[in-house]
Amino acid sequence: MTLHYVAPLSIVVCLFRFWPLYSLLVENKENSIEKESSNTLMSKGELIAFAYDVGFAIIIPLIIFTLGGRLLDKKLGTAPWCMLAGLLISLVFTSISIYKKTKKFL
């Protein structure tokens, strides 16, 4: 394994290391007190679960599309262009995902 893949691999391992904590927070969200109206504040567990959800929605497409573009660059010999295209595609997917997740708060 080369040095170029160590940092992204450690990021992915770190993300999936906290996945059980994320699932526990989502389960606690169902057990929390129901909201009286849509304008009430969220509980701490719901806020943490929402923060994890948004974090995963940002980082996962970024890692997948950027590294995929980098691999295509190595195979095709097209310097940074495929990686930049992957970065732009990940920004589009991330923007759509964040909009869908925060639409109920708008």
Side-chain angles (χ1 to χ4, degrees), residues 56-76:
F56 279 116
I58 292 171
I59 198 71
I60 297 299
L62 183 67
I63 289 173
I64 291 172
F65 287 112
T66 305
L67 288 180
R70 185 161 187 253
L71 290 174
L72 278 176
D73 277 335
K74 282 188 173 186
K75 287 190 177 195
L76 301 175

Side-chain angles (χ1 to χ4, degrees), residues 1-14:
M1 184 175 283
T2 64
L3 184 61
H4 299 287
Y5 294 110
V6 172
L9 184 61
S10 64
I11 291 171
V12 173
V13 169
C14 183

Side-chain angles (χ1 to χ4, degrees), residues 19 27 29 35 45 64 66 68 71 74 80 84-85 93 96:
W19 188 256
E27 289 174 5
K29 184 172 124 177
K35 296 180 183 177
I64 291 172
T66 305
L71 290 174
K74 282 188 173 186
L84 291 174
F93 276 106
I96 292 169

